[in-house]
Structures are given as C-alpha cells and as structure tokens.
Amino acid sequence: MRSVLEMIIRTPRALLVFAMLAALAALAALAAPESAVAQSRVLQSPRTVPDARLAVATGRYAEAIAFLEKVSQSDPAWMDAQVMLASTLALISRFDDAERVARAAASHPQQGREALSTLGEVLRARGKLNDADSAFARAVAAHASDSLMASLNLALLDQARGRRARADAAFDRFIDIYNTTAQTLTSREMLAVAIAVRELGAGNPELFKDALKAMDRAISIDPANMDARVALGELFLAKYNSAEAQRTLDDAREINPNHPHALVADAARLVFDGQPGADSLLTRALAVSPEYVPARVMIARRMVDVERYADAAREVERALRTEPTNAEALGVLATARYVGGDQKAFEETQARALAINPRDGAFFVALAEGVGRVRRYSVAADFARRAIAVDSTNWKARSVLGMNLMRLGTIAEGRASLEAAFAGDPYDVWVKNTLDLLDTFKNYDETRTAHATFMIEKAESPLLSIYLADLAERAYVQFEKRYQYSPPQIRIEVYRSHADFSVRTVGLAGLGALGVSFGTTLAFDSPAAKDAGPFNWASTVWHELAHTFTLGSTDHRVPRWFSEGLSVWEEHNARPGWGMGVSPNFLDAYRQGKLVPVSQMNDGFMRPTYPEQIQFSYYQASLVCDMIVRDGGEKALTALLAEYKAGRTTEEAVQKVLGMDMKALDKKFDEFMRQRFAGPLAALAAEGPEYPSGMTAGELAARADELKGSWRAQMLAGTALVRARQPAVAIRMFERAHALFPEFAGGGSPAAMLADAFLSRGDSAKALPMLKAIAMADESSYSANMSLAAISLSARDTTGAIEALERAIYINPFPAELHRSLATLAAATGDHPRSVREREALVALDPVDRAEALYQLAMAYNGAGDQAKAKRTVLQALEEAPNFVKAQVLLLTIVEGKAP
C-alpha cells in the first residue's frame, strides 16, 4: 500500500490522474473484496462506499450522492456513507439536505459521534457558529474518530471570535500530537496538524515550513485529500510563490476538475499573476456549487476592483445569506459600502463584523486592501492603522500600512512599518523586495522645484532633472488651471531598472506598465531602463501628472477608465504625436465587437479578455473624452469630475452632465467611432474573397489592383513585392494603403514602409512627408526623428530640424551629439533658453573634455544675458584647464562687461 501511495508523490503531472486513480482502486480493493476489479471500472457508477469516495474525489458528485443515499442503515459502511454524503451535499450547496443528513447520522445511538465533526462543519458553513461549536465539542468529548479535526475546528472558531490566546494554546497542542503520533495519523488528521501549525506561523514564521511539510505528508497518505492539496496551493500563494501554487493547484484540478475550492484558489492565482481566466473558473465553481461562499466573495471583490460597488454589495449579500458570519464576506461588503459612499450601511456592516470578533484585525486589513485597490490610499492607511490597533501582531496590517504610506510619499514612516512587518513575517516577498529597494535609495539624488521633488539615480539626475523640472512645472500650471486643484508637493521617482520600478509599484518584478501615479507620488522608468524598451518618457510623465490632478480633484473617486482616458487625452493635447494612436488592430477589435462598451470600460483595464485589450482601452477611453469635448466642450469633462467628487456614480454623473443614460452613451460612442474612422473602417472591411495560400507577389499585386479600396490587399501585396525585390511596384501599393488609412503611421505602417523605400533610393524629398507622418503618429520613433532632423537640415529647414531633435530627446536623452546639434541650432536661431538647456545637458553627461563643455555653457549663458552664471561657469572651465585660452578670453570679455 505504502509503495502505491509514495509512487504518486514522484509521478509526473501527465500521469498523475492515472496514478491517483490506481491508488484509490487499490484502497477500494483492500476495503471491499468485490472492488478487486475497481480499477477497470473507475469511471462507472459507484457500487460500494469506496467507489463513491473515488467518485467524490474525481468530482462526480451526482453519481456519488445517488449511491450514498441508497446505502442501508444495516450496511457496516452506513456511517461512513452518511458522513461522506453530508460533506458532498454541503460541497455542492445543498446545505439543507447536508444538515438533515448530518443531524440524522449524529443522532444514531451507537455511531452518532462519528458524524458530529461533519455536522459541525456543515453548521459552520451556514454561519451557525454556536451550534457548530457544540457539535465539535461533543465530537471531542465522545472521542470520535475525527475528534482531532473537531479540536482544530474548535480552535478556529475561537480564533474567529477573537479568543486568540485560547486558540493559540489549542493550536500549540497539535505540535505535541505530531511529535508523538505522526506515524499513526490519518491524512485528515495530518491536515488538521498542518492547519494548526499554519495558524501558529503568524507568531513564528518558521512554522510555515512545518505546515508545508505536514500538508505534503497529508497528501502522501491520501492522494485524494483535495482539502490538503488546495490548502497547500493557497499556502504557496499566500507566501507569493505563484509557480508552486500553480503546480499544486494544477495537480488538484487534474484529479478533480469540479472541486469548487480548487477552482476558486486557482482563480486567485490567476489574479495574482495578472492572467485572464479567473472569471471563467469562478463561473465553473458556481455551476458546481451555486452558493459557494468563497466564489461569490471573490466575484464581489473583483466587482469592487472595477468600481461596480452596488453589484458587489448584492453579490456578497447573497454569500452572507448562506453564511451570515463569514468574516471575509463582511470585509468585502464593508468595502463596497464604504467606497460606494453609503456610510450608514458601512457602519452597520462594521458593527456586525466586530460583534463576532471585536479584535478582528483581518476585517480592517480587508478594508485597507479593498479601498487601496481603488486608489484610496490615505483611507487604506487609516484602516490599516485600525487593524494594528486591534491586533498589534497582524503583520499583514503593518505591510499594508507600509505600502500605502509609500504610495503617499511618506517614505520614512512607510519603511518603519514595512520593517516591523518583515520582522514578524520574513516570508512576505513583497515586503522583502520593497525593503531591498528602499536600501538602494541612497544611490538616488533628490532635487526640488516649486511644486515637485525628484528622486533620480545619481548618475542620471543631473541630466534628467533639467527636463523633468520643466515638464513638471508646465504640467502643474496647465492642469491646475483646467482642474481647479492645487496638489501639495508632488514626488516623482525615476527608476533606471524596470524591475525596481515594478517592485515599487506592485512589490514584484514583471509589471508591464512604464509609469504609475498614486496621486501625489509618481514612479516611472528612466529612459535608460533597457528592459522597458524604447518609449517616450516625457509623455509618460505628462500622463502620470494628469492623474495627480484628476485623482486629487475628485478625492480619488474618479473611475479608473475616466482618469486613464483623461491622461491619454492630455497627452494628445500636450504635443503632436504624444499618446496612443489608432491602429488596424484597434479598429479590427472594434469591428469584431471586442471593445468593451463605455458603460463597462473599467473591465477593459481590470479584467482584460485578450492580450491587447488593456492598451486598446487606454485609447478607447481617450476617444470617449474626445467625444465628450466635441459635444459639450472641456467644461463637460470637469463637470463629470465634480460629480465624482460629490460621490455620484458614473450612471448618475453621465445623466446629470451629459443628459443621457449609459445605454444611450454606449450607442452614441458607437456612432462616434463610425463617423470618426469611417474611411479606415471601410478600407479594413474591404477584404474581398479569401486569399488562396501560396499566392505570388504578382498575383497579390493583381488582387491589390482589383481591390484598390482594401487596405490589407495593398499591404499584403506591398510586403510581398518588397521581398520579391520589386520596390517600385511595392511603393505604389504602400501609397494606396497610406491614403486609405493615413492616421496609422507607426511601426509596420505604410508610412514606415514608404520612408524606408524612399531613403534606400536616396529620395529625401519623398521620404520627408512620410517621416513627418511617423513622428506625428509614433511618439517613440527615435530613428524617424533623427532621419527627419538630418533631411530638414539638408533642406535648410532649421525649425523642422529643431522640432525633430526636441522630440528625439524625449525618447533617448543620452546621446551627446543630439544635444550638441540642438544647442548649435538653437544658438544660431537666437533661441538662447534652449541653447542654455542643451549646453547644461552636455555638462550633465560628464563629457571627457569637461572644460570645453563648461566653456560652451558659459558662452550660452553669456549669449542669454546671464553674465553671473557665465562668469561662474567659465571659472569652472578654467579650474579644469587653467591654460584654456578661449575660456580666458571669455572671462575677460565678461569682466570688462562687453556685449556678447
């Protein structure tokens, strides 16, 4: 027997189900002679209680129930059948039936004690804590075979009611039990030990390792113990080990694809990893168990995350009808009520939770995490403090407080809280990563302007602060006027490592974004962050600063989609080319009905169903802002923000400001899209007949000539003709494509193909308009701007060259020649402020010939009429090179007061 079970521990996942079924068949054969051939009929209807156990273990609940209900009371396995029947009925939400069966079995005069623990579990699942307590106590007193699990459940009930010392004393006894009787414990008893040790881990984190070992042991004893498998997966996830959690839960779901707890646990893992699919798993869990409380609680939490507060409250209230005392459900309901603006309902829910457990720090942690996820960081910190006040050893509360203080820019206090959290729980990877990041802050400089403080790595600070200071102050003036809000000092952190930026944002590496705004604290990638890829760092700063004002002006109540849409809209208005633009893929998504309706825009950001949906949602939200401004002016945007600040829902705000309901808004936006992109939509829709495989370049060209209105026909032909080395014909195809969809000029666009073709032929005149189109459509195209600058210079278009170089700086500010060229052109056109800025940038780049760079900067200052700075700087040049003749002459000129 042991060899069969141990085999499963070492079995590859592909063979896991077979090995598990084989082991269970062996168990069944030992338990009942007639089951000797069970392995050959493992998927047939149960004929014995061990067969029914196999059916339950593999998720065939209806078959198991049908058999178990027929087991005669005279059958020696009747009590086992009743316990299994009650548990299975409860698992699929047939609570009335489960309680009826468990009570009937518990009343049996001889064997009733064996059903008491299961009865207690059913009663607890229905929120009947006093009755559950009584059933567990009776099971322990009667020395039932499941009394160890009953003892654990009594301790868990004490813990849930705030009787911490009593619960911990009970948990502690399980360690003695393990040390003295480990070899004789059943799988279920070993799981009881594991859970007790896990709970003790809150006071001694080293015990988490022992809990993991005990869970592994419980699984090795009984591979069908799904509770142990799911508990192990959840423990891995709680300690941020998503990879092990996935492997464990994958194993569990391969054994039993219909286990509600496993489905919900895996949904939580997907959310943790930022992967799609959680909603479908939750739907499957509810299909199996319609009133499964953890599933409904998670659905409600996800509704809060997308700011559907009323829907969240309804969902979690349904869960509470099943289990009125569920602490997690009460936490989510309180969160929904609070952020939904229903203070009275919030206070009632809070009182309800604290009546069960007056020391429920987890309740306030749930509130803190919930409001934090909808960007109410100050409120989140307050709730975390309340959690600590009622439970000073709640390390999660201290970590949540620390993270939110960091988001608020209160770095020293945030660090102190995180250090306390880490001392209590050194396995919290998020806290550890953040503390490691804080240790690197000594490598950063802090500089200030009137309205912003910049934290930039020392090597980059002299250069980037030149541009960031200007950007931040210009944005402040513009946004303060538009949004009628004056934020306090803004903190802007710039990270050279994208992994560091990711840790600062979510505690773990791997975040896909380039910047984040917590309100008055911003963080984003440095342009030197190689793993971030090329991007326009200036537009990123502008985008995040816009959030500072839209969040602040609404007390952080603006919906995520509207705040993101306004930030992209502000990018578009700040400079030509900034912000996301339209693409064929975006319009295809619209044509295929894959863009979310405006009424559900938050889903596009928070619950994407395909990889590009988040990016599409940013642009879509900005288009909604365009439509609102077209019809109601910019004042309509700020009027909506005012309604959000007043606590209105989107439905209420839209009705009051725009005079329509959400259904009408969805329809209006659809009309706007069809009008705004009428030409490109028609060109994309003109597909023609299906293309046979293996078409030659000539055949594709002929098809493109037939379908002159088809954008794809032109692009397919043009691309094939380039490969066939027929550039002249390819150019004709790309020119048609560009005319059909001129708004799309980014990577892979007709404009990009034409620019390459013309440049390869040395035709700068024809390349020029294509390069301009690229620069106006792709904010991150460094090479296009540099080519544009060179062609403009050769055409003596100094203004065009300056504009192109200026755009290039905001993509890659590190090449010295870029700054040198721009400084020279600025000086030649009398643009002294720009010339000074670029000469300052060259000095900040720490050139080899520092004396020459300082001399040129002094010349720029002198040309701008700032003799004081010119004198100070030329003296610095002479300190570097005392015999520098040009610097000596300039100093003499300045001292004598001669005009530059």
Side-chain angles (χ1 to χ4, degrees):
M1 175 67 67
R2 185 175 300 275
S3 62
V4 174
L5 294 171
E6 289 178 349
M7 172 188 71
I8 292 177
I9 305 304
R10 301 187 293 271
T11 300
R13 180 173 296 117
L15 300 177
L16 179 64
V17 175
F18 174 80
M20 179 267 183
L21 294 176
L24 286 176
L27 284 169
L30 289 178
E34 70 270 22
S35 297
V37 292
Q39 186 175 347
S40 66
R41 53 180 173 81
V42 292
L43 296 181
Q44 296 179 12
S45 297
R47 298 181 185 177
T48 67
V49 171
D51 284 352
R53 180 171 179 265
L54 175 58
V56 171
T58 53
R60 293 154 45 225
Y61 306 123
E63 294 177 30
I65 290 169
F67 170 79
L68 293 168
E69 288 178 329
K70 298 174 184 177
V71 175
S72 170
Q73 192 167 345
S74 62
D75 191 313
W78 178 80
M79 180 54 70
D80 287 344
Q82 298 312 292
V83 169
M84 193 187 312
L85 177 59
S87 297
T88 307
L89 288 167
L91 186 65
I92 64 171
S93 297
R94 290 177 57 182
F95 296 109
D96 288 341
D97 292 335
E99 185 174 343
R100 172 181 51 77
V101 170
R103 285 191 182 279
S107 66
H108 191 278
Q110 285 80 41
Q111 303 179 61
R113 63 185 179 182
E114 299 303 327
L116 287 169
S117 186
T118 296
L119 173 60
E121 290 175 354
V122 172
L123 292 168
R124 184 182 59 191
R126 308 194 75 181
K128 300 177 181 181
L129 300 188
N130 291 334
D131 290 347
D133 197 309
S134 175
F136 292 137
R138 288 167 59 199
V140 173
H143 302 290
S145 62
D146 204 16
S147 60
L148 194 60
M149 183 60 77
S151 295
L152 172 71
N153 283 318
L154 281 171
L156 291 172
L157 282 174
D158 280 334
Q159 185 184 61
R161 289 163 164 165
R163 302 166 187 162
R164 180 73 171 272
R166 182 170 158 178
D168 284 350
F171 292 143
D172 197 58
R173 287 194 288 273
F174 280 79
I175 295 178
D176 295 332
I177 292 169
Y178 178 80
N179 289 335
T180 57
T181 62
Q183 297 305 313
T184 64
L185 294 178
T186 67
S187 176
R188 185 165 161 82
E189 289 171 331
M190 187 63 73
L191 177 59
V193 170
I195 293 171
V197 175
R198 180 194 68 193
E199 296 306 310
L200 288 171
N204 180 2
E206 289 300 315
L207 290 175
F208 287 125
K209 296 179 182 177
D210 294 325
L212 187 150
K213 292 176 183 176
M215 288 176 187
D216 274 337
R217 178 63 180 155
I219 295 168
S220 71
I221 296 170
D222 178 8
N225 191 334
M226 289 295 292
D227 291 336
R229 290 184 181 277
V230 176
L232 179 60
E234 289 182 321
L235 181 58
F236 279 129
L237 193 61
K239 298 307 167 189
Y240 296 85
N241 190 339
S242 174
E244 286 299 328
Q246 180 176 355
R247 280 190 282 272
T248 303
L249 294 170
D250 282 352
D251 287 348
R253 289 182 54 210
E254 284 197 55
I255 295 168
N256 184 347
N258 298 318
H259 194 276
H261 196 170
L263 290 165
V264 173
D266 208 19
R269 197 270 309 167
L270 288 173
V271 171
F272 179 91
D273 287 338
Q275 297 177 356
D279 292 332
S280 64
L281 291 180
L282 294 172
T283 299
R284 286 174 57 189
L286 291 176
V288 174
S289 184
E291 302 306 324
Y292 190 57
V293 169
R296 295 211 173 274
V297 170
M298 187 172 179
I299 289 170
R301 185 183 295 115
R302 286 171 63 72
M303 287 176 172
V304 170
D305 291 349
V306 295
E307 300 163 17
R308 291 169 52 191
Y309 306 132
D311 291 339
R314 281 190 291 271
E315 186 70 27
V316 78
E317 281 172 340
R318 179 169 175 175
L320 287 165
R321 285 195 291 274
T322 298
E323 187 181 351
T325 58
N326 186 283
E328 190 177 7
L330 288 169
V332 175
L333 179 59
T335 302
R337 293 306 191 196
Y338 185 90
V339 293
D342 192 338
Q343 185 65 23
K344 181 181 178 182
F346 162 71
E347 290 173 357
E348 290 172 351
T349 307
Q350 176 180 257
R352 184 174 165 186
L354 296 182
I356 299 168
N357 181 359
R359 300 182 57 198
D360 192 358
F363 172 77
F364 291 109
V365 170
L367 274 167
E369 291 183 312
V371 299
R373 285 195 299 271
V374 293
R375 307 174 308 285
R376 305 283 290 276
Y377 307 117
S378 179
V379 177
D382 289 341
F383 280 130
R385 290 188 181 98
R386 292 188 64 182
I388 294 167
V390 299
D391 182 1
S392 61
T393 62
N394 190 313
W395 310 121
K396 185 67 173 178
R398 294 187 182 275
S399 71
V400 171
L401 174 60
M403 292 299 181
N404 281 287
L405 289 173
M406 292 281 291
R407 290 163 178 163
L408 294 168
T410 313
I411 305 302
E413 187 182 351
R415 177 169 192 150
S417 188
L418 291 173
E419 286 175 340
F422 190 66
D425 181 6
Y427 295 105
D428 191 325
V429 176
W430 190 347
V431 172
K432 180 187 183 302
N433 288 345
T434 304
L435 287 172
D436 288 345
L437 176 64
L438 284 167
D439 287 341
T440 71
F441 278 19
K442 63 181 180 293
N443 302 323
Y444 290 75
D445 281 333
E446 284 198 4
T447 58
R448 291 175 64 92
T449 62
H451 299 107
T453 298
F454 306 97
M455 190 194 85
I456 311 172
E457 196 172 76
K458 291 180 184 295
E460 295 183 353
S461 181
L463 174 66
L464 295 185
S465 60
I466 294 170
Y467 298 94
L468 280 174
D470 176 61
L471 279 169
E473 291 303 319
R474 283 194 295 109
Y476 192 101
V477 170
Q478 182 171 322
F479 296 155
E480 182 184 39
K481 180 179 179 181
R482 190 191 315 282
Y483 299 111
Q484 294 297 293
Y485 169 70
S486 303
Q489 191 80 3
I490 302 168
R491 178 181 176 86
I492 300 176
E493 301 173 0
V494 185
Y495 291 94
R496 186 172 186 137
S497 162
H498 181 70
D500 285 349
F501 160 72
S502 184
V503 167
R504 176 63 167 103
T505 306
V506 297
L508 302 168
L511 182 69
L514 298 170
V516 67
S517 173
F518 298 116
T520 55
T521 301
L522 279 61
F524 66 93
D525 278 315
S526 157
K530 293 183 175 62
D531 40 358
F535 69 102
N536 193 304
W537 57 275
S539 74
T540 301
V541 174
W542 200 266
H543 179 106
E544 302 306 337
L545 280 167
H547 281 308
T548 297
F549 288 81
T550 56
L551 285 169
S553 66
T554 61
D555 293 335
H556 285 235
R557 289 186 171 92
V558 60
R560 187 179 301 274
W561 75 266
F562 192 44
S563 186
E564 296 294 359
L566 282 170
S567 283
V568 177
W569 182 80
E570 289 288 6
E571 288 181 79
H572 291 161
N573 285 305
R575 290 197 178 202
W578 277 12
M580 300 173 187
V582 68
S583 68
N585 289 343
F586 174 81
L587 291 183
D588 281 342
Y590 168 71
R591 292 171 56 230
Q592 295 162 12
K594 294 172 67 176
L595 299 185
V596 294
V598 179
S599 57
Q600 300 172 30
M601 276 296 306
N602 270 340
D603 285 353
F605 291 96
M606 301 299 294
R607 299 163 75 169
T609 57
Y610 54 95
E612 305 89 355
Q613 189 167 22
I614 293 177
Q615 290 301 309
F616 289 169
S617 295
Y618 277 97
Y619 183 56
Q620 180 185 355
S622 76
L623 291 173
V624 175
C625 293
D626 284 341
M627 181 187 72
I628 292 171
V629 171
R630 181 199 67 177
D631 296 340
E634 292 181 11
K635 65 181 184 297
L637 297 176
T638 53
L640 284 169
L641 292 176
E643 293 301 312
Y644 287 126
K645 182 176 183 179
R648 308 280 191 272
T649 65
T650 293
E651 291 80 2
E652 293 167 340
V654 166
Q655 185 65 58
K656 183 172 181 180
V657 175
L658 305 182
M660 65 185 75
D661 60 21
M662 296 306 293
K663 186 175 181 180
L665 182 63
D666 288 339
K667 182 179 179 182
K668 191 176 188 67
F669 182 71
D670 185 64
E671 294 169 352
F672 172 83
M673 286 289 294
R674 293 183 182 281
Q675 180 181 353
R676 172 80 171 261
F677 299 110
L681 285 171
L684 291 171
E687 297 283 352
E690 186 175 344
Y691 281 68
S693 60
M695 291 181 71
T696 66
E699 290 170 334
L700 288 168
R703 173 69 69 87
D705 285 337
E706 294 173 7
L707 299 171
K708 291 184 174 64
S710 170
W711 184 85
R712 282 197 176 82
Q714 310 310 313
M715 290 301 295
L716 285 170
T719 303
L721 288 162
V722 168
R723 287 197 296 265
R725 298 185 180 180
Q726 299 180 47
V729 187
I731 286 173
R732 177 161 54 87
M733 303 300 164
F734 290 136
E735 285 176 333
R736 279 187 199 153
H738 181 65
L740 289 168
F741 194 174
E743 298 94 331
F744 173 54
S749 68
M753 304 298 285
L754 287 167
D756 287 344
F758 291 137
L759 288 173
S760 66
R761 297 170 66 177
D763 193 339
S764 298
K766 288 188 176 180
L768 186 64
M770 294 300 104
L771 291 169
K772 287 182 178 179
I774 296 168
M776 292 300 100
D778 184 357
E779 65 176 14
S780 301
S781 182
Y782 182 82
S783 60
N785 279 296
M786 294 305 292
S787 296
L788 187 56
I791 293 172
S792 297
L793 274 178
S794 66
R796 299 187 179 182
D797 179 6
T798 305
T799 300
I802 288 175
E803 290 173 349
L805 293 172
E806 186 81 10
R807 287 191 295 268
I809 284 174
Y810 290 129
I811 303 167
N812 182 4
F814 298 109
E817 189 55 40
L818 171 58
H819 296 283
R820 194 172 293 114
S821 298
L822 189 51
T824 302
L825 290 173
T829 57
D831 187 349
H832 298 297
R834 195 191 307 267
S835 176
V836 166
R837 186 195 68 185
E838 293 309 303
R839 291 299 176 185
E840 287 176 340
L842 283 162
V843 171
L845 284 168
D846 195 20
V848 175
D849 192 347
R850 184 171 175 78
E852 175 67 21
L854 287 165
Y855 165 74
Q856 292 293 343
L857 176 56
M859 289 284 288
Y861 281 140
N862 196 45
D866 191 340
Q867 275 71 43
K869 284 186 177 179
K871 181 179 179 181
R872 185 163 59 248
T873 305
V874 76
L875 286 172
Q876 291 175 332
L878 289 168
E879 287 176 4
E880 296 281 337
N883 298 321
F884 191 179
V885 176
K886 289 191 297 182
Q888 293 171 344
V889 172
L890 176 59
L891 178 60
L892 182 61
T893 300
I894 294 169
V895 170
E896 292 178 349
K898 295 180 180 179

